[in-house]
PDB file of all heavy atoms in Angstrom:
ATOM      1  N   GLU A1330      -7.649 -32.558 -37.856  1.00  0.00           N
ATOM      2  CA  GLU A1330      -6.582 -33.352 -38.481  1.00  0.00           C
ATOM      3  C   GLU A1330      -5.612 -32.466 -39.243  1.00  0.00           C
ATOM      4  O   GLU A1330      -5.311 -32.678 -40.421  1.00  0.00           O
ATOM      5  CB  GLU A1330      -7.176 -34.443 -39.390  1.00  0.00           C
ATOM      6  CG  GLU A1330      -8.022 -35.450 -38.628  1.00  0.00           C
ATOM      7  CD  GLU A1330      -8.586 -36.543 -39.536  1.00  0.00           C
ATOM      8  OE1 GLU A1330      -8.662 -36.318 -40.762  1.00  0.00           O
ATOM      9  OE2 GLU A1330      -8.940 -37.608 -39.012  1.00  0.00           O
ATOM     10  N   VAL A1331      -5.138 -31.396 -38.554  1.00  0.00           N
ATOM     11  CA  VAL A1331      -4.121 -30.512 -39.106  1.00  0.00           C
ATOM     12  C   VAL A1331      -3.051 -30.313 -38.038  1.00  0.00           C
ATOM     13  O   VAL A1331      -3.213 -30.685 -36.869  1.00  0.00           O
ATOM     14  CB  VAL A1331      -4.704 -29.136 -39.513  1.00  0.00           C
ATOM     15  CG1 VAL A1331      -5.751 -29.307 -40.614  1.00  0.00           C
ATOM     16  CG2 VAL A1331      -5.289 -28.410 -38.316  1.00  0.00           C
ATOM     17  N   SER A1332      -1.967 -29.711 -38.434  1.00  0.00           N
ATOM     18  CA  SER A1332      -0.926 -29.378 -37.467  1.00  0.00           C
ATOM     19  C   SER A1332      -1.342 -28.130 -36.686  1.00  0.00           C
ATOM     20  O   SER A1332      -1.969 -27.208 -37.240  1.00  0.00           O
ATOM     21  CB  SER A1332       0.394 -29.100 -38.195  1.00  0.00           C
ATOM     22  OG  SER A1332       1.336 -28.508 -37.320  1.00  0.00           O
ATOM     23  N   GLY A1333      -0.972 -28.099 -35.416  1.00  0.00           N
ATOM     24  CA  GLY A1333      -1.240 -26.905 -34.616  1.00  0.00           C
ATOM     25  C   GLY A1333      -0.598 -25.670 -35.191  1.00  0.00           C
ATOM     26  O   GLY A1333      -1.131 -24.549 -35.040  1.00  0.00           O
ATOM     27  N   ASP A1334       0.536 -25.837 -35.876  1.00  0.00           N
ATOM     28  CA  ASP A1334       1.216 -24.685 -36.478  1.00  0.00           C
ATOM     29  C   ASP A1334       0.429 -24.103 -37.647  1.00  0.00           C
ATOM     30  O   ASP A1334       0.708 -22.973 -38.085  1.00  0.00           O
ATOM     31  CB  ASP A1334       2.607 -25.097 -36.968  1.00  0.00           C
ATOM     32  CG  ASP A1334       3.530 -25.468 -35.828  1.00  0.00           C
ATOM     33  OD1 ASP A1334       3.284 -25.002 -34.691  1.00  0.00           O
ATOM     34  OD2 ASP A1334       4.496 -26.217 -36.056  1.00  0.00           O
ATOM     35  N   ASP A1335      -0.520 -24.880 -38.166  1.00  0.00           N
ATOM     36  CA  ASP A1335      -1.308 -24.410 -39.301  1.00  0.00           C
ATOM     37  C   ASP A1335      -2.576 -23.669 -38.878  1.00  0.00           C
ATOM     38  O   ASP A1335      -3.422 -23.343 -39.718  1.00  0.00           O
ATOM     39  CB  ASP A1335      -1.712 -25.596 -40.195  1.00  0.00           C
ATOM     40  CG  ASP A1335      -0.512 -26.204 -40.903  1.00  0.00           C
ATOM     41  OD1 ASP A1335       0.466 -25.457 -41.128  1.00  0.00           O
ATOM     42  OD2 ASP A1335      -0.537 -27.409 -41.197  1.00  0.00           O
ATOM     43  N   LEU A1336      -2.712 -23.419 -37.574  1.00  0.00           N
ATOM     44  CA  LEU A1336      -3.915 -22.761 -37.073  1.00  0.00           C
ATOM     45  C   LEU A1336      -3.628 -21.320 -36.687  1.00  0.00           C
ATOM     46  O   LEU A1336      -2.651 -21.024 -35.995  1.00  0.00           O
ATOM     47  CB  LEU A1336      -4.461 -23.507 -35.845  1.00  0.00           C
ATOM     48  CG  LEU A1336      -5.007 -24.919 -36.093  1.00  0.00           C
ATOM     49  CD1 LEU A1336      -5.326 -25.596 -34.778  1.00  0.00           C
ATOM     50  CD2 LEU A1336      -6.255 -24.862 -36.975  1.00  0.00           C
ATOM     51  N   ASP A1337      -4.495 -20.423 -37.116  1.00  0.00           N
ATOM     52  CA  ASP A1337      -4.507 -19.047 -36.624  1.00  0.00           C
ATOM     53  C   ASP A1337      -5.521 -18.947 -35.490  1.00  0.00           C
ATOM     54  O   ASP A1337      -6.523 -19.691 -35.465  1.00  0.00           O
ATOM     55  CB  ASP A1337      -4.902 -18.072 -37.741  1.00  0.00           C
ATOM     56  CG  ASP A1337      -3.815 -17.918 -38.786  1.00  0.00           C
ATOM     57  OD1 ASP A1337      -2.627 -17.967 -38.408  1.00  0.00           O
ATOM     58  OD2 ASP A1337      -4.155 -17.752 -39.971  1.00  0.00           O
ATOM     59  N   PHE A1338      -5.296 -18.001 -34.576  1.00  0.00           N
ATOM     60  CA  PHE A1338      -6.267 -17.774 -33.504  1.00  0.00           C
ATOM     61  C   PHE A1338      -6.464 -16.275 -33.343  1.00  0.00           C
ATOM     62  O   PHE A1338      -5.501 -15.523 -33.126  1.00  0.00           O
ATOM     63  CB  PHE A1338      -5.793 -18.374 -32.183  1.00  0.00           C
ATOM     64  CG  PHE A1338      -6.764 -18.162 -31.043  1.00  0.00           C
ATOM     65  CD1 PHE A1338      -7.951 -18.861 -30.995  1.00  0.00           C
ATOM     66  CD2 PHE A1338      -6.498 -17.223 -30.044  1.00  0.00           C
ATOM     67  CE1 PHE A1338      -8.865 -18.656 -29.964  1.00  0.00           C
ATOM     68  CE2 PHE A1338      -7.395 -17.010 -29.010  1.00  0.00           C
ATOM     69  CZ  PHE A1338      -8.587 -17.738 -28.962  1.00  0.00           C
ATOM     70  N   ALA A1339      -7.711 -15.851 -33.461  1.00  0.00           N
ATOM     71  CA  ALA A1339      -8.034 -14.437 -33.276  1.00  0.00           C
ATOM     72  C   ALA A1339      -9.499 -14.317 -32.923  1.00  0.00           C
ATOM     73  O   ALA A1339     -10.348 -15.011 -33.511  1.00  0.00           O
ATOM     74  CB  ALA A1339      -7.739 -13.637 -34.548  1.00  0.00           C
ATOM     75  N   GLY A1340      -9.811 -13.463 -31.953  1.00  0.00           N
ATOM     76  CA  GLY A1340     -11.198 -13.219 -31.587  1.00  0.00           C
ATOM     77  C   GLY A1340     -11.933 -14.452 -31.132  1.00  0.00           C
ATOM     78  O   GLY A1340     -13.158 -14.564 -31.317  1.00  0.00           O
ATOM     79  N   GLY A1341     -11.231 -15.417 -30.552  1.00  0.00           N
ATOM     80  CA  GLY A1341     -11.861 -16.636 -30.068  1.00  0.00           C
ATOM     81  C   GLY A1341     -11.984 -17.732 -31.100  1.00  0.00           C
ATOM     82  O   GLY A1341     -12.456 -18.833 -30.788  1.00  0.00           O
ATOM     83  N   LEU A1342     -11.545 -17.481 -32.337  1.00  0.00           N
ATOM     84  CA  LEU A1342     -11.750 -18.429 -33.434  1.00  0.00           C
ATOM     85  C   LEU A1342     -10.426 -19.010 -33.912  1.00  0.00           C
ATOM     86  O   LEU A1342      -9.494 -18.273 -34.248  1.00  0.00           O
ATOM     87  CB  LEU A1342     -12.457 -17.741 -34.598  1.00  0.00           C
ATOM     88  CG  LEU A1342     -12.990 -18.640 -35.711  1.00  0.00           C
ATOM     89  CD1 LEU A1342     -14.182 -19.455 -35.194  1.00  0.00           C
ATOM     90  CD2 LEU A1342     -13.400 -17.804 -36.916  1.00  0.00           C
ATOM     91  N   PHE A1343     -10.362 -20.338 -33.924  1.00  0.00           N
ATOM     92  CA  PHE A1343      -9.256 -21.044 -34.570  1.00  0.00           C
ATOM     93  C   PHE A1343      -9.649 -21.305 -36.023  1.00  0.00           C
ATOM     94  O   PHE A1343     -10.748 -21.797 -36.311  1.00  0.00           O
ATOM     95  CB  PHE A1343      -8.991 -22.391 -33.894  1.00  0.00           C
ATOM     96  CG  PHE A1343      -8.372 -22.285 -32.529  1.00  0.00           C
ATOM     97  CD1 PHE A1343      -9.171 -22.304 -31.392  1.00  0.00           C
ATOM     98  CD2 PHE A1343      -6.997 -22.165 -32.377  1.00  0.00           C
ATOM     99  CE1 PHE A1343      -8.605 -22.209 -30.134  1.00  0.00           C
ATOM    100  CE2 PHE A1343      -6.418 -22.074 -31.120  1.00  0.00           C
ATOM    101  CZ  PHE A1343      -7.226 -22.094 -29.990  1.00  0.00           C
ATOM    102  N   SER A1344      -8.732 -20.995 -36.951  1.00  0.00           N
ATOM    103  CA  SER A1344      -9.012 -21.260 -38.362  1.00  0.00           C
ATOM    104  C   SER A1344      -7.754 -21.797 -39.017  1.00  0.00           C
ATOM    105  O   SER A1344      -6.628 -21.452 -38.635  1.00  0.00           O
ATOM    106  CB  SER A1344      -9.483 -19.986 -39.087  1.00  0.00           C
ATOM    107  OG  SER A1344      -8.497 -18.977 -38.998  1.00  0.00           O
TER     108      SER A1344
END
Side-chain angles (χ1 to χ4, degrees):
E1330 297 181 339
V1331 298
S1332 168
D1334 294 336
D1335 292 333
L1336 293 172
D1337 289 325
F1338 180 72
L1342 192 70
F1343 289 95
S1344 59

